[in-house]
Amino acid sequence: MKNKYCFVIVGATAAGKTYFAIQLARHFNTQIISADSRQCYKELNIGVAKPSPHNLEEIKHYFINTHSIQQQVNAKLFETYANDAADIIFKENNVTVMAGGTGLYINAFCNGIDEIPVINEDIKNNIISNFELKGIEWLQNQVKKEDPVYFEKGETKNPQRLMRALEVKRSTGRSITEYQKKQKKEKSFNIIKIGLELPKEQLHKNIDNRVDAMMRQGLLDEVRSLLPYQHLNTLNTVGYRELFTHLNGEDSLNESVDKIKLNTRHYAKRQLTWFKKDKEIKWIDPSTDSESFINTCLAFI
């Protein structure tokens, strides 16, 4: 019988995942694996809402500040990294905590991810160049024409996913769906998925307050320091691309901040849509106090 447990805390951005993960890790005197596709980058800080330096010092976090924005990070890399981190933690503790809002990464850790073939770099670069020049509509049309199977069921508004589908199709002649067999890999430990869900009005208020706090903390200066790298796919992300637009003279600062808030709300909605499909997730109201939250988690063991 498995006697080790990994609590996976999921939910939309600004729902309280970091806070409750830290409370749970304190209770079990254990460590945390971040499942956030942006917090792993050393150069991104304010705009990705990393745990505070105090929290990072108090509790060891894996997959935070581990990579550069110029490195390629994907779900397969995360699967390997997170499995290795879990093995390390379980040598000293029967419980580990994972927290994050990147559904693809969490799915890779919990269920495993199939191998994707090596992609021709010329094809990859050509697709990126065309996307930057012609926009997402061009990308959607190409995928719809060349990989209709993926287009029917995949994330058709996510440029990264669309580019991935197109580069796989053009490199191999096969649909990316053929490589996504979704054969769940057996784990040597139990996974308990906890979802945090706030009322929409409260979540939107949290998002607005967080963006305002980020601006006060110096997000604009952080983005300004990254201007030489704005062409990187990594930085085509909420909180950065909107301020690049301002710094390039296309929007006022207020317009860019409003767009960050709106796009973050849209992102939060997509996150919830993804997680709601997972029937293994046990949903909790994060407005509860930390003691009640911990007791609820303990009841699932």
Side-chain angles (χ1 to χ4, degrees):
M1 183 177 178
K2 301 175 185 176
N3 64 347
K4 297 183 184 295
Y5 297 86
C6 178
F7 285 96
V8 180
I9 302 176
V10 306
T13 187
K17 296 185 297 295
T18 297
Y19 172 79
F20 284 110
I22 288 170
Q23 304 309 310
L24 203 55
R26 280 179 184 153
H27 177 83
F28 287 108
N29 190 29
T30 190
Q31 300 172 342
I32 296 172
I33 303 170
S34 168
D36 186 295
S37 62
R38 306 189 306 165
Q39 290 183 355
C40 64
Y41 296 115
K42 301 172 187 176
E43 299 89 344
L44 309 187
N45 290 290
I46 299 170
V48 297
K50 284 178 182 171
S52 69
H54 170 75
N55 287 331
L56 291 175
E57 185 176 342
E58 177 194 4
I59 297 171
K60 180 172 178 60
H61 285 66
Y62 292 83
F63 210 61
I64 290 183
N65 297 328
T66 52
H67 294 78
S68 165
I69 54 174
Q70 298 186 69
Q71 291 177 278
Q72 184 179 14
V73 178
N74 54 39
K76 186 63 185 176
L77 181 149
F78 176 78
E79 179 195 7
T80 301
Y81 181 101
N83 282 329
D84 290 345
D87 288 344
I88 292 169
I89 297 169
F90 282 133
K91 286 178 181 177
E92 303 291 334
N93 202 302
N94 286 336
V95 174
T96 187
V97 178
M98 174 176 284
T102 304
L104 194 66
Y105 283 21
I106 290 166
N107 181 65
F109 173 74
C110 295
N111 301 316
I113 191 170
D114 296 302
E115 295 287 348
I116 296 295
V118 175
I119 300 302
N120 182 298
E121 279 300 309
D122 289 338
I123 290 175
K124 182 185 184 76
N125 292 332
N126 178 262
I127 291 170
I128 292 172
S129 298
N130 274 290
F131 166 63
E132 291 174 346
L133 183 66
K134 302 173 184 177
I136 192 168
E137 286 189 13
W138 172 83
L139 197 53
Q140 291 168 330
N141 289 333
Q142 293 303 305
V143 174
K144 185 176 183 179
K145 181 171 67 175
E146 298 183 39
D147 190 350
V149 177
Y150 173 81
F151 190 82
E152 183 180 348
K153 299 180 179 180
E155 295 182 61
T156 58
K157 294 183 180 179
N158 186 317
Q160 277 73 37
R161 303 281 182 269
L162 288 167
M163 284 191 282
R164 188 65 175 157
L166 192 58
E167 65 192 27
V168 168
K169 179 66 175 180
R170 290 184 176 179
S171 292
T172 69
R174 298 166 63 187
S175 169
I176 192 171
T177 60
E178 294 181 37
Y179 297 95
Q180 298 169 335
K181 299 175 184 175
K182 297 182 180 178
Q183 294 178 338
K184 188 170 182 177
K185 297 180 182 177
E186 186 64 28
K187 296 286 188 183
S188 61
F189 50 88
N190 301 286
I191 293 176
I192 300 173
K193 299 176 185 176
I194 306 293
L196 304 180
E197 184 177 19
L198 283 168
K200 185 168 71 172
E201 296 76 13
Q202 184 61 52
L203 182 63
H204 288 180
K205 183 178 180 181
N206 286 4
I207 288 170
D208 290 350
N209 289 341
R210 173 182 279 187
V211 173
D212 289 337
M214 287 176 173
M215 293 305 296
R216 290 194 299 271
Q217 292 162 13
L219 179 58
L220 183 61
D221 287 336
E222 178 171 302
V223 176
R224 183 180 286 113
S225 72
L226 294 167
L227 272 171
Y229 308 100
Q230 63 181 301
H231 63 283
L232 294 177
N233 245 0
T234 309
L235 294 176
N236 182 26
T237 186
V238 178
Y240 291 84
R241 63 172 176 250
E242 296 88 352
L243 290 177
F244 284 138
T245 300
H246 163 67
L247 291 169
N248 290 327
E250 297 174 41
D251 281 333
S252 71
L253 182 56
N254 285 339
E255 287 172 333
S256 290
V257 170
D258 286 343
K259 285 181 180 179
I260 294 174
K261 292 176 180 178
L262 179 63
N263 291 336
T264 304
R265 290 180 181 184
H266 291 161
Y267 175 58
K269 183 178 180 181
R270 291 196 299 273
Q271 287 176 300
L272 281 173
T273 299
W274 173 287
F275 290 125
K276 285 290 186 176
K277 294 176 183 177
D278 188 342
K279 302 307 178 185
E280 295 179 356
I281 295 175
K282 301 164 178 65
W283 292 93
I284 295 177
D285 181 352
S287 62
T288 185
D289 61 87
S290 57
E291 184 177 351
S292 297
F293 173 80
I294 290 169
N295 288 334
T296 302
C297 291
L298 290 174
F300 295 129
I301 292 180

